[in-house]
Amino acid sequence: MAPLPQRLLSRLDRASGVVAPVDVGANQPALRAWAAERGWSVQRTPPVPGQRDWLWCPERRGELGQLPADQTGALILSGADLLLAEADWAAALPDLGPARQAATLTYSGGWPAALPLAARLPDDPAPTCTRWRPRCSGRCCRPNRFSPAPPGWPCPP
């Protein structure tokens, strides 16, 4: 499970209730764990009027219209609120060097669901092949139709 962004934690602590984002991969498990640690109720249905200390995990954005009007202290999160910043990303990937951490953050945009994949990448990838390779394989290749090997292309023995 990915950590929650540090910049979000103080906002969560000030809220009387939280609506989790519906976005795919927005780290709802971490929000559920955060709520459970505080003794908050984690629910699939909207809070009742006057209820405090709840995390609502709606299934569709259209359900947000069911939030009671008296829940003015509720924090309604979007997927962007759960994107990880550089420090959060680096802390979640301590086995990768700074260059690899920065590269995976750039590629993922800080999306929490990309952390498991980034963690499995080697810190020192195989050297990139600098040789030329055929543009296609098989009979379609004409002589002298070569292009540089793409980044990360392994060199043949």
Side-chain angles (χ1 to χ4, degrees), residues 89 93 96-110 118 121:
W89 191 264
L93 297 169
L96 294 184
R100 199 67 160 157
Q101 289 171 348
T104 56
L105 175 63
T106 299
Y107 294 142
S108 70
L121 293 174

Side-chain angles (χ1 to χ4, degrees), residues 50-138:
Q51 184 180 354
R52 295 185 53 80
D53 301 339
W54 49 265
L55 171 66
W56 176 29
C57 300
E59 292 183 21
R60 291 179 292 285
R61 288 185 179 99
E63 295 176 17
L64 293 176
Q66 300 173 22
L67 186 65
D70 72 335
Q71 295 289 351
T72 56
L75 178 61
I76 301 172
L77 299 175
S78 71
D81 292 318
L82 280 98
L83 293 178
L84 298 172
E86 185 176 350
D88 300 317
W89 191 264
L93 297 169
D95 295 336
L96 294 184
R100 199 67 160 157
Q101 289 171 348
T104 56
L105 175 63
T106 299
Y107 294 142
S108 70
W111 186 46
L115 271 175
L117 176 61
R120 288 193 306 265
L121 293 174
D123 188 35
D124 185 18
T128 301
C129 183
T130 55
R131 298 182 200 167
W132 293 74
R133 66 171 178 85
R135 287 191 186 167
C136 62
S137 59

Side-chain angles (χ1 to χ4, degrees), residues 144-155:
N144 301 323
R145 302 279 278 185
F146 292 90
S147 61
W153 187 272
C155 286

